[in-house]
Amino acid sequence: MDFNITLLPGDGIGPEVVSEAVRVLDVIASKFGHTFNFQERLMGGCSIDKYGQSITEETLADCKASDAVLLGAVGGPKWDDPNAKDRPERGLLALRKGLGVFANLRPVKVHPVLMDASPLKPEKLEGVDILVVRELTGGLYFGQPKLREMQNGKERAVDTLEYFDYEIKRVVELAFTLAKSRKKKVTSVDKANILESSRMWRQIATQIGTGNPDVELEHMLVDTASMRLITAPVSMDVVVTENMFGDILTDEASVLAGSMGMLPSASLGESGVGLYEPIHGSAPDIAGSGIANPIGTILSSALMLRHSLKLESEASAIEKAVHQTVTDGARTADIGGKLSTRQMTDEIIINL
Ligand code: IPM
Ligand code: MG
């Protein structure tokens, strides 16, 4: 089959890891008889440098017109001026909003042989298999007003935490659907003791829970959840939460897997164009040195094959190859080894 994939390598280590995922996808294409047509576009700091804006209308339109989008990472110190008119991250938010990808799936699995790479005790990590479903197009990231102004001689900054009922409903429903093919447990994370939006979140989650009696629903305050994630991660299955809480909790959860470099994500919505990206950032400190771990992006490309292109066998072929490669002892620097980005991918391709 024929597919059109937009690549947004972005900034920092983004281009290094995306090109490795493309090598893996090329192998999949020839093995399984598909054609992947890749078109590469700029988004993030690189787009600011070239076009003066973090994402252009044309780039967004090209993404919308493709079957799926594979992204590296955006941002870096070069574009961090607090007074800058545009920022790399704004492009990413415009892309998420533009594609309508309201649910960000972040699976966190602990590979048995990588337990040493995590600061947690192995007995805490045994059997950890969590799927965080992060709401991605609402909450503090997008709420209006969002501003900075002078008021009576004092400077004031405002961000708005806003949710509509339908935004909560669709993402929590998806979490329940996903839980059904897993351990049938949903942990809904909120701050209902303080936030009005969380009280509505909890109410809607409860209603959806009542309609899905085969799935166990547990509500948890975000502060408790941040603790439970490291004291009892094995007790969690699907975790569903609002945008900002999900951002913070998934960085924390990545510690379980030994390195952020290992973790993929899939962002899905109603439009049908999925966005796939590793959860790590642009890592400017190691950019250009060819030592970044490509696994997060390679596994993101597997999620792309599964969710957007409906190529299940191809997706699991990549996942199996990654698993085997790590089991065999291949390691980039972040997980305690010496392999370069390219060498790690070479090992994965051998196992394909
Ligand atoms: C993530 C990142 C982004 C976010 C940044 C780069 C805007 O931290 O995908 O988790 O906050 O969503
Ligand atoms: Mg983040």
Side-chain angles (χ1 to χ4, degrees):
M1 295 213 280
D2 231 67
F3 299 98
N4 297 319
I5 298 166
T6 301
L7 303 173
L8 301 173
D11 310 316
I13 59 169
E16 297 165 47
V17 289
V18 167
S19 60
E20 299 305 314
V22 167
R23 287 175 61 212
V24 170
L25 288 170
D26 282 338
V27 175
I28 290 286
S30 63
K31 255 190 91 153
F32 290 83
H34 302 300
T35 305
F36 298 136
N37 307 305
F38 296 109
Q39 55 170 357
E40 198 171 310
R41 296 288 179 270
L42 298 178
M43 199 277 287
C46 55
S47 179
I48 296 180
D49 289 349
K50 175 120 193 236
Y51 304 116
Q53 51 189 129
S54 51
I55 188 165
T56 63
E57 290 289 329
E58 291 77 17
T59 297
L60 183 56
D62 289 342
C63 289
K64 283 183 181 169
S66 51
D67 293 307
V69 180
L70 184 64
L71 170 82
V74 296
K78 184 177 175 192
W79 306 280
D80 262 349
D81 177 1
N83 297 316
K85 279 210 301 294
D86 197 356
R87 299 176 53 88
E89 293 81 3
R90 193 200 60 86
L92 179 55
L93 298 196
L95 178 68
R96 289 172 176 171
K97 196 79 171 175
L99 293 176
V101 286
F102 60 80
N104 181 218
L105 278 46
R106 298 188 163 186
V108 181
K109 259 196 208 164
V110 179
H111 193 297
V113 303
L114 281 184
M115 284 187 186
D116 291 348
S118 170
L120 266 78
K121 296 192 183 81
E123 61 263 34
K124 297 263 187 233
L125 295 170
E126 195 81 54
V128 167
D129 181 1
I130 301 173
L131 175 62
V132 180
V133 181
R134 169 190 175 193
E135 200 290 325
L136 202 62
T137 51
L140 275 171
Y141 277 61
F142 294 94
Q144 293 296 336
K146 194 177 197 57
L147 57 89
R148 229 159 123 170
E149 64 180 10
M150 294 302 290
Q151 211 177 67
N152 306 324
K154 294 191 177 66
E155 192 174 16
R156 170 177 182 257
V158 179
D159 290 288
T160 302
L161 174 43
E162 173 189 58
Y163 269 106
F164 282 94
D165 53 0
Y166 74 92
E167 294 177 299
I168 299 170
K169 195 163 178 272
R170 64 189 179 186
V171 73
V172 175
E173 272 170 353
L174 179 64
F176 272 84
T177 304
L178 293 165
K180 290 186 190 202
S181 53
R182 298 172 48 97
K183 286 180 246 156
K184 299 193 169 51
K185 179 172 176 187
V186 169
T187 304
S188 174
V189 174
D190 61 40
K191 187 69 182 171
N193 53 348
I194 300 293
L195 300 174
E196 202 53 56
S197 56
S198 279
R199 283 191 277 275
M200 185 163 86
W201 182 289
R202 194 174 277 219
Q203 229 172 356
I204 292 171
T206 303
Q207 281 162 11
I208 296 170
T210 308
N212 292 276
D214 53 327
V215 176
E216 179 194 345
L217 168 64
E218 145 185 79
H219 300 284
M220 199 178 284
L221 296 173
V222 64
D223 42 356
T224 309
S226 73
M227 184 184 66
R228 291 287 292 280
L229 207 46
I230 48 170
T231 55
V234 78
S235 69
M236 291 176 164
D237 178 22
V238 176
V239 175
V240 64
T241 191
E242 69 92 41
N243 203 346
M244 178 67 105
F245 295 161
D247 177 46
I248 298 168
L249 291 178
T250 48
D251 265 35
E252 189 191 4
S254 75
V255 172
L256 305 169
S259 164
M260 279 189 96
M262 300 291 297
L263 297 186
S265 88
S267 302
L268 310 173
E270 271 147 10
S271 80
V273 183
L275 170 64
Y276 299 86
E277 51 179 313
I279 82 153
H280 64 69
S282 59
D285 52 327
I286 58 161
S289 50
I291 61 163
N293 188 344
I295 289 181
T297 312
I298 291 171
L299 290 177
S300 298
S301 73
L303 294 179
M304 174 178 84
L305 298 182
R306 172 172 300 122
H307 293 289
S308 285
L309 312 187
K310 309 292 175 208
L311 301 176
E312 177 57 38
S313 321
E314 292 80 343
S316 47
I318 294 180
E319 287 162 350
K320 283 202 193 95
V322 168
H323 189 90
Q324 193 56 47
T325 305
V326 173
T327 306
D328 293 346
R331 301 278 185 277
T332 41
D334 57 316
I335 45 177
K338 290 203 169 66
L339 292 188
S340 69
T341 311
R342 177 154 272 257
Q343 288 167 332
M344 182 60 127
T345 312
D346 289 341
E347 296 300 319
I348 293 169
I349 288 174
I350 291 168
N351 283 320
L352 262 179

